Amino acid sequence: MIRLAVLGSGSGSNCQSIFNAIKDGRLDAEVVIVLSDNPDAYILERARQHGVPAEVIDCCGFKNKFPLEVQEAVAKKLQELKVDMVCLAGFMRLVKEPLLSAFPNRILNIHPALLPAFPGVEAWKQALEAGAKQAGCTVHYVDAGMDTGEILMQAYVPVLPGDTAESLHARIQVQEHILYPAAILSALSRL
Ligand code: GRF
């Protein structure tokens, strides 16, 4: 059985979509651990509700930094758990060495824009403010940059007249929840 790890900092609706896809047979895999750098993140609660071990990554009080020794410890833990694929789902810290090379071509991220347009935070808001006609979401392999790795799959979401940041993000998230499990499946087929 393919072993997945999910890392997130927030609500975890994408993690939920992975749980759902596994449950209804679209994704033949199991989530063996959920990790969050935010002890209050709802993603941890979702994991526990699904009987999945959920742990906090202690970033030693750093607000944005993902310290080297902490990445080392995370890499070690995921290797010990024999994780096949690491899925970032709203994880707000930049993954770097040594975690990257511990899982070559095995770390995915979902981003709420049509990369390479609008990398970084609140990408849907950036798209709206730029007057884009099309928004969307992207699943990509993770490299050392911010939202720069090889693109695996994308879904388009039209920007509608009268859209607010909230309404657009909500429609993008509907597509994210379909896209991420499908993209994980595609990445697994390439291993
Ligand atoms: C999603 O919009 C994802 O694209 C971005 O962060 C958000 C996470 O949402 N990277 P959730 O925690 O999965 O609900």
Side-chain angles (χ1 to χ4, degrees):
M1 181 75 88
I2 292 288
R3 297 166 71 79
L4 305 177
V6 181
L7 273 62
S9 307
S11 136
S13 69
N14 280 285
C15 183
Q16 181 71 52
S17 79
I18 296 169
F19 290 146
N20 294 348
I22 290 172
K23 201 165 160 221
D24 67 24
R26 276 177 290 137
L27 192 54
D28 192 13
E30 62 181 319
V31 178
V32 295
I33 194 156
V34 169
L35 297 176
S36 179
D37 58 325
N38 172 8
D40 301 322
Y42 189 59
I43 192 171
L44 293 169
E45 180 57 32
R46 290 189 200 260
R48 292 182 190 118
Q49 283 170 10
H50 283 78
V52 173
E55 292 179 21
V56 175
I57 303 171
D58 181 357
C59 286
C60 317
F62 289 106
K63 202 165 174 286
N64 301 308
K65 206 172 134 189
F66 195 2
L68 176 87
E69 54 279 13
V70 179
Q71 299 216 27
E72 238 160 41
V74 170
K76 190 160 171 267
K77 176 180 282 287
L78 298 182
Q79 282 172 328
E80 280 168 4
L81 285 168
K82 301 197 182 319
V83 164
D84 297 296
M85 188 74 74
V86 180
C87 305
L88 307 185
F91 188 65
M92 299 306 282
R93 292 177 199 250
L94 273 187
V95 171
K96 292 223 162 97
E97 298 302 341
L99 189 45
L100 276 181
S101 50
F103 291 92
N105 289 317
R106 288 169 186 261
I107 308 181
L108 302 177
N109 181 43
I110 184 149
H111 181 75
L114 295 171
L115 291 172
F118 311 122
V121 294
E122 297 192 321
W124 64 91
K125 211 183 256 181
Q126 295 182 46
L128 197 62
E129 282 166 5
K133 298 266 179 294
Q134 290 276 14
C137 46
T138 303
V139 176
H140 63 93
Y141 289 98
V142 173
D143 65 12
M146 189 191 279
D147 305 320
T148 50
E150 184 197 338
I151 291 172
L152 185 59
M153 280 176 120
Q154 294 186 302
Y156 288 78
V157 175
V159 179
L160 302 178
D163 252 340
T164 61
E166 291 68 31
S167 66
L168 181 57
H169 188 214
R171 285 207 317 290
I172 291 171
Q173 284 225 293
V174 172
Q175 292 307 314
E176 287 185 339
H177 300 156
I178 300 167
L179 186 72
Y180 210 1
I184 294 168
L185 202 57
S186 162
L188 291 173
S189 76
R190 288 183 177 197
L191 287 180

